[in-house]
Each structure stands twice: as C-alpha cells, then as structure tokens.
Amino acid sequence: MARPPAPRGTRAATLTDVARLAGVSVATASKALNGRNHVSAVTRERVMEAAAQLSFSPNSLARGLLAGRTGTVGLLTSDLVGRFSLPILMGAEDAFGAGEMSVFLCDARGDAIRERHHVQALLSRRVDGLIVVGSSTDPRPPLAAAVDVPVVYAYAPSEHPEDLSIVPDNVGAGRMAVEHLIACGRTRIAHISGDRGYSAARDRVTGALAALEDAGLALVGDVAYGTWEEGWGRAAASMLLDREPEVDAILCGSDQVARGVLDTLRERGRRVPEDVAVMGFDDWQVMTTGARPQLTSVDMNLEELGRTAARALFEAIDAEHGRGVRTVQCRVVVRGSTAPEA
Amino acid sequence: MARPPAPRGTRAATLTDVARLAGVSVATASKALNGRNHVSAVTRERVMEAAAQLSFSPNSLARGLLAGRTGTVGLLTSDLVGRFSLPILMGAEDAFGAGEMSVFLCDARGDAIRERHHVQALLSRRVDGLIVVGSSTDPRPPLAAAVDVPVVYAYAPSEHPEDLSIVPDNVGAGRMAVEHLIACGRTRIAHISGDRGYSAARDRVTGALAALEDAGLALVGDVAYGTWEEGWGRAAASMLLDREPEVDAILCGSDQVARGVLDTLRERGRRVPEDVAVMGFDDWQVMTTGARPQLTSVDMNLEELGRTAARALFEAIDAEHGRGVRTVQCRVVVRGSTAPEA
DNA sequence: CGGCGTTCCGAAAAGGTTTTCGGAGGCTTT
DNA sequence: AAAGCCTCCGAAAACCTTTTCGGAACGCCG
C-alpha cells in the first residue's frame, strides 16, 4: 500500500515556506490562498501549486489569534453515559461540522467542580460559544463562572430565565401520545409513568391528562409513578390488570417500562394490540424494534434538538443572543403495539 | 441570584493588562504566573492578585502557537450512534481530562470523504495527536492524509501493521465465557452467535471452541450465525431446542440475542438458569439488568480501552510511538442467568 | 513627455504569550 | 575602594497569519 510518509519532527509547512517556494511575499501568498483579489491569476496559480506541493495547511491558532475568533465551541455534558446526551451531541456536531466549526467535548460527570474546571479550560481556549447539555429535563443552575461568550442550554434548561434554553416539549409529547391512542379507538387508557422526581414524567402526565379531558375521557386508575425500568413496568402492569381489568391502552413512561408491560400482558394472555394497546416514550430503537410486537413510541427528536441548539448558538455568536426557553416538538412513531401491521 | 456579569464585547484581559495593573513588565508577569523563579515573592503576589482581579485566563492560542504544542487531541469516530463508540470516548475523555488536554470530537458517519475533511481540520488546528475509533472490530484502512502527529486506532485496528491499534480481546472473551459456563457445571453448551460478517463474532467463536476443546468438550450443534438482534435470538433458540433438546447452556453473540433466547426459553417452559444457563456479550446494562433473570454477560471494558488508547497517545506524543496491535482484556459479569442468586 | 489611473506586490503591524539575555542594583570579599 | 557575585526585572525576539497601506510598474490620455 502506498501510504504517504509521516515525517515526524519535520514541522509543518508555514506560509513563509509557501511564499518562498512560489517566489512571492507572504502577504501575496496569503491573499492568493484566501481568494482575495489584487493578485494576478498566474501568481495565484503559482502559490496554489507551491501550497499543494508542501501540503500546506494554515495554522488555525495564528489565524484565531488574529481574528479574535477561533471557530471552536465547547460542548459540555453533565452525563455522557446517559442515553439522551448522545443524540443531542450528534445533532450539534452535525450542525457545526457543516459550518466549519470544531467541537470541544467535555464531560463533567455530574460534578460541579469538574464542570467549572472544564469551563475555565474552554474559555482559555477561547471558544466562540458553549452548549451545556443536561442529563434530565429538570432545570439546572447556570454556569458558575463569568462567561463572556454565548451559552445555550440544551435538554436541561437553565434556572435563570434570561438564559437561552432548548428543551423537548414533554407536555406536547404526553398530549400527542394520548391523541394517538384515542385515534386508534381506545377509550380506557391507563398511564404507567416513570420516576415522579423528574419533570419529564410530570410534564407528560400534564399533557396526557389535558388530551383526555379534551376528548371527554378520564384516565383509567391513577397515574402510576415508579422508576424508568423494566421491572417497574412488569409490576405496575400486574397491579393495573388486577384493579382495572377493562383497560384497553397503556401509555408508559419509557420504552423500558413498556417492555416490562408487554411481558406482563403476554403472560396474562392479553393480546397486543388487539386487547390492549401499548405505547412507550423515547423511541429507543433497540427497545422498540426488538419488542413483540414492535413498540409504538414518542421520539423526542433529540438530534434535532442538538441541531437547534447549535444553530441558536451560531446566531448568538454573530448576531443577537436569544433569551428564554424554546421547545422542540416530539413525534409519535407508530409500530405494531398500537396499530396492527397493514 | 448573584450571577456575575457577562460583559459581551469587552475583550478578555490579556497579560499586558495584568502586567500594567501590577506595575511590572509582561515578562515578569508571565514568570510570576507560571511559577518560574527569578521573581521575588512580593512581586509574584502582586501579579497574582492583579490576575485574579481581572479574572485573567491565558490565551491558549498564543501559548500553543509559541510552544508548538496545543494540548489538544482529535477524537475521530466513524459511527457515534453505535453503542460501542460512547464508552471508548468516555474513557479517552477521562484520561485526557486528567492530563489537561482538550478533546476535539468529530464524527465521520462512516463516510471517507467526511473523515478526510475532519482530519484536515484537525491538523489545521494543530492537534498533538489523533485517536481513531472504529465502529466494528474489523480492520479499517489507515487515515488517508499524510499525518505528522501520532495516531492511535481504537476498537477497529488499522490495516497497516505498523500503526498502533488498541482492540478488545474477543478471542479471550469467547474463551472466558465458555470457561465460566463450564465452571457453572455445564457440559452441553451451544452457541448462538451474531453476524458472521463481523470478526468479533468469529473471534469469539474461536476462543469458545478452544476453551471447549481444552475441557474435552464439544459444542452442541453448530455455531448459529445470524444477526445481533433479539428476533434472531428467539428464532435461533427455537430451532436449537427442537434439534438439541438436551442443551444446558447457551452462549449468545450479544445481549440482545440473549434477550430473545430468554424469551423463547420461558415460552418453552425451560427454567433459567436451572435447566439452561444463558450468557450474553457486551454487558449492556439496560439489557442485562432488565432481563429475567438478570443476564450474565462479557464486558469488553471499553471505557478501559478508551483510557488505554489515550495513554498510548500520550506516550506517543512525548516519547516513542508504539507499534502493532494491543488487546484489552474482557471480563465476565456474573448475574442470575448462569448462577442462581445467593 | 508629464500626469493619472490601474494593477499587482511587499513591508510591516497586530494578535498574546514565553523565553532568552542583558542590565541594574545591592551585597560581599580582597 | 575595586572587583565579583547574586537577585530581580525588562526589552525583544519568536510563533504564524491577515490586513493595511504604500510603492512600483505599466498603459493611456492630454
């Protein structure tokens, strides 16, 4: 295989080298490479050729030092291991990549000290802006340090109302979910939620109840709060079937809870979706498509949320800084657990 | 809440400002702040105080420009969405964070063009090194561009044997898995693997067969290759039980496959682990701990792999560049599906 | 032929930090 | 008192690129 030599130690070519090889001054070389005018076509060509020959790549540090802009942003997650950060991060990376920006990734691991440390490092690197990704939709304290670049909070809004935050529309998600179940002809709908301590859980309940009321329906039983896990889904479904055997739809707080619910339903001999429709939240592919039947779920559009945050940061960098909390719409992904396969 | 003002537009304090406020030259200020000697204690104190007052933070660009080192590394993933990149990334971020390095994250999305583009951008930013994270353990082509900084390949090794690659020990993992099953008293062991196209699948088979042979045992039935998904686990288990009803342990290619196998076993009335022990691969928490019983699995130690890659890159940056493929050991995480709860 | 406009190129400054080296001052020793 | 040493500080260069501005060369018009 013809792989190019990697000359360790021979420092990278500089603009001076290019200029010398092309027989012009550095000023001319710079203008030629950056498409400025006041350079003749033939000279420009000579410079380009010299640059290619030396595989010249301009030093972004020097450029950034001069321009006052580095073309970098910091992406500060509080919990990378959770499954919500990653899609947001991908969306942001996507949006920035297209804009020729580079992303510094920092994970604070839920530790305020570490977070402050990372912010300091990012500011020292003169990032043009910051995205702070939370690990739950509960509001979080704003950054502690004095930050003189724009900041966008994603997923978890800042507690400070003047900050710009981008969050999923969980109330709307709860509403959409119930509306979908009603559209599938269900009228006796129960809700097995997740951890009551999370605003995401409570917001979805709010939306779900509102949609029921709009349709002149009432929830079957009480909202069952518990955890986000499969085991809770199995247990809660069991209790629900004992108390409210006539239920014909179960909205679950997460896909994992839904998986547990599906298990219990199968063991109890209830058919899905014929007897009971089941719906999850988060649209976690590995959970939804592995289930029998495949699981209808609400996608929070996190990748879109990440992109939105990135675009908002862009705007804040070279225009005016937005304020307040903006929401990103969720969407229902219909699969076999609510609608029979065509 | 007393939040510090964020003076947009007022450019950050520079060393010159600090020096002026402290009544010394920039040279002295620099030495004072960096702990160099040839500065009197009282002067140093005055400078520190001035720096604190202006909340001075040194411009890393200027520093990097001069030092020829930026304290940044590029982390280039080929598929961030896959679930293997993230733990590696976390391990690397962890190792670098401790060493005052910052990480540029780039996702090539499996596209060679985009990868080249990102490499160019990273080189232009003068990263001190590069970690390339693959999406499967199959060897990948080395970076196309001429790269004059150290590169470490993680998870997917480089096709070029002179490059440094850090990969999980899949052969050893297969061996450990079988050894665990044997230690649990199983002798009629079957293997429902994943996608034959992946070297990870084939390597684990190699290790598993070697361990069986060492114990004087033979595999029950043939290795069943298929996909990595739950559906395959259900189907393959069904076929296996028809053909080889006496099986007392099933080693699965992934935790998802194992979940499918567990479902089928329950439907067929086989108890786990009393009648049949089941074991997965990857130790994906949400899969293993949600299962009934909880699933024994092989953890590939990906976070450790990421840390190892980061440390190897460190060494390559300020010492000699290692060569060849290094493996990271896996480990068995025992849960209820192979060993009854104590 | 002088003046003028146009076109192209180069010198130099700027951006912020680190390092080197020389200089200033104080103190000790002969 | 002269010489020498030590401690502390500051001037200036270096890193690399971009931009500004002045200057040179040339063609054209009066």
Side-chain angles (χ1 to χ4, degrees):
Chain A
M1 173 187 318
R3 74 198 307 259
R8 282 296 304 282
T10 51
R11 83 199 195 321
T14 138
L15 190 58
T16 310
D17 302 332
V18 174
R20 183 164 35 224
L21 182 58
V24 299
S25 73
V26 287
T28 304
S30 173
K31 281 180 285 194
L33 292 174
N34 291 301
R36 297 275 174 287
N37 32 13
H38 303 292
V39 178
S40 71
V42 42
T43 305
R44 184 185 305 275
E45 185 56 35
R46 225 173 46 241
V47 172
M48 304 274 266
E49 204 165 311
Q53 190 175 331
L54 298 174
S55 66
F56 168 76
S57 115
N59 187 323
S60 294
L61 298 177
R63 187 179 278 182
L65 188 55
L66 195 54
R69 284 250 198 128
T70 56
T72 61
V73 298
L75 212 155
L76 188 58
T77 66
S78 43
D79 177 25
L80 198 47
V81 75
R83 75 174 174 293
F84 299 124
S85 300
L86 185 60
I88 297 172
L89 192 154
M90 287 189 56
E93 202 271 346
D94 186 35
F96 286 129
E100 310 290 287
M101 289 247 163
S102 294
V103 175
F104 279 117
L105 177 68
C106 302
D107 185 17
R109 283 175 177 58
D111 177 8
I113 308 285
R114 203 188 301 255
E115 176 173 293
R116 200 145 46 208
H117 180 219
H118 274 141
V119 170
Q120 272 314 316
L122 289 171
L123 292 179
S124 160
R125 296 200 185 280
R126 298 296 188 268
V127 292
D128 295 334
L130 236 42
I131 292 186
V132 179
V133 183
S135 57
S136 88
T137 56
D138 295 274
R140 52 151 287 152
L143 290 184
V147 178
D148 56 353
V149 295
V151 180
V152 175
Y153 295 81
Y155 199 67
S158 164
E159 283 171 355
H160 195 286
E162 283 294 297
D163 291 330
L164 177 58
S165 306
I166 318 280
V167 302
D169 178 13
N170 273 310
V171 176
R175 172 178 286 280
M176 288 172 112
V178 165
E179 284 170 353
H180 169 65
L181 290 172
I182 292 174
C184 289
R186 310 296 163 149
T187 55
R188 298 185 297 279
I189 301 174
H191 184 19
I192 298 177
S193 181
D195 189 331
R196 172 185 262 130
Y198 287 71
S199 64
R202 300 190 304 270
D203 287 347
R204 290 168 187 173
V205 168
T206 302
L209 293 179
L212 283 170
E213 186 171 338
D214 287 356
L217 295 174
L219 195 68
V220 169
D222 292 326
V223 175
Y225 287 105
T227 74
W228 300 108
E229 292 157 23
E230 280 194 65
W232 164 242
R234 289 194 290 262
S238 193
M239 294 185 288
L240 175 65
L241 290 176
D242 289 343
R243 281 188 229 160
E244 316 278 356
E246 83 289 3
V247 64
D248 68 2
I250 304 177
L251 177 59
C252 303
S254 74
D255 291 332
Q256 293 176 78
V257 170
R259 287 293 298 258
V261 169
L262 284 179
D263 272 4
T264 296
L265 287 172
R266 183 174 313 111
E267 283 173 10
R268 298 285 199 108
R270 305 286 187 111
R271 292 169 306 163
V272 176
E274 293 82 354
D275 303 330
V276 182
V278 176
M279 201 167 163
F281 263 101
D282 302 344
D283 193 36
W284 198 5
Q285 299 278 337
V286 66
M287 285 284 151
T288 55
T289 62
R292 274 180 308 171
Q294 297 205 340
L295 189 62
T296 295
S297 191
V298 181
D299 188 332
M300 288 195 281
N301 278 331
L302 293 179
E303 203 163 330
E304 178 58 26
L305 194 151
R307 266 193 294 271
T308 303
R311 281 194 295 259
L313 187 56
F314 261 135
E315 275 179 33
I317 288 173
D318 42 40
E320 197 48 32
H321 200 327
R323 305 281 164 196
V325 176
R326 299 185 198 165
T327 57
V328 171
Q329 291 309 305
C330 304
R331 70 199 164 88
V332 175
V333 180
V334 180
R335 298 197 184 84
S337 71
T338 58
E341 306 276 329
Chain B
M1 176 186 319
R3 73 198 308 260
R8 284 294 302 284
T10 51
R11 85 199 193 319
T14 135
L15 189 58
T16 310
D17 301 332
V18 175
R20 184 165 32 224
L21 181 59
V24 299
S25 73
V26 287
T28 303
S30 173
K31 281 181 285 195
L33 292 174
N34 291 300
R36 296 275 174 289
N37 32 13
H38 302 293
V39 179
S40 72
V42 42
T43 305
R44 185 184 306 275
E45 185 57 34
R46 225 172 47 239
V47 172
M48 305 273 266
E49 205 166 310
Q53 191 175 330
L54 298 174
S55 66
F56 168 75
S57 117
N59 187 322
S60 293
L61 297 177
R63 187 180 277 183
L65 187 57
L66 193 54
R69 282 247 198 132
T70 56
T72 61
V73 298
L75 212 155
L76 188 58
T77 67
S78 42
D79 176 26
L80 199 47
V81 75
R83 77 174 173 293
F84 300 124
S85 299
L86 185 61
I88 297 173
L89 192 153
M90 287 189 54
E93 202 272 345
D94 186 35
F96 285 130
E100 310 291 286
M101 289 247 164
S102 294
V103 175
F104 279 118
L105 177 68
C106 302
D107 186 17
R109 282 175 178 59
D111 177 8
I113 308 285
R114 203 188 302 254
E115 176 173 293
R116 199 145 47 209
H117 180 220
H118 274 142
V119 170
Q120 272 313 315
L122 290 171
L123 292 179
S124 158
R125 296 200 185 279
R126 296 299 187 267
V127 293
D128 295 334
L130 236 43
I131 292 186
V132 179
V133 182
S135 57
S136 88
T137 57
D138 294 274
R140 51 151 287 152
L143 291 184
V147 179
D148 57 352
V149 295
V151 180
V152 175
Y153 295 81
Y155 200 68
S158 164
E159 283 171 356
H160 196 285
E162 284 294 297
D163 291 331
L164 176 57
S165 306
I166 318 280
V167 302
D169 179 13
N170 273 310
V171 176
R175 171 179 287 279
M176 288 170 113
V178 165
E179 284 170 351
H180 169 65
L181 291 173
I182 292 173
C184 290
R186 311 294 162 150
T187 55
R188 298 185 299 279
I189 301 173
H191 184 20
I192 298 176
S193 180
D195 189 330
R196 172 186 261 128
Y198 287 72
S199 63
R202 300 191 303 270
D203 287 347
R204 290 168 187 174
V205 168
T206 302
L209 293 179
L212 283 170
E213 187 171 339
D214 287 357
L217 296 174
L219 196 68
V220 170
D222 292 328
V223 175
Y225 286 106
T227 73
W228 300 109
E229 292 157 23
E230 280 195 65
W232 164 242
R234 290 193 290 262
S238 194
M239 294 185 288
L240 175 66
L241 289 175
D242 289 342
R243 281 187 230 159
E244 316 278 355
E246 82 289 1
V247 64
D248 68 2
I250 304 178
L251 177 60
C252 303
S254 73
D255 290 332
Q256 293 176 77
V257 169
R259 287 294 299 257
V261 168
L262 284 178
D263 272 2
T264 296
L265 287 172
R266 183 173 313 111
E267 282 173 10
R268 298 286 199 106
R270 304 285 188 112
R271 292 171 305 162
V272 176
E274 293 82 353
D275 302 330
V276 182
V278 176
M279 201 166 163
F281 263 102
D282 301 343
D283 193 36
W284 198 6
Q285 300 277 339
V286 66
M287 285 285 151
T288 54
T289 62
R292 272 180 311 170
Q294 298 204 341
L295 189 62
T296 295
S297 191
V298 181
D299 188 332
M300 288 196 280
N301 278 330
L302 293 180
E303 204 164 331
E304 176 59 25
L305 193 150
R307 267 193 292 271
T308 304
R311 281 195 294 260
L313 187 56
F314 260 134
E315 276 180 32
I317 287 173
D318 44 37
E320 197 49 33
H321 200 327
R323 306 279 164 198
V325 176
R326 299 184 198 167
T327 57
V328 170
Q329 291 308 305
C330 304
R331 69 199 166 88
V332 174
V333 179
V334 180
R335 297 197 183 84
S337 71
T338 58
E341 306 276 328

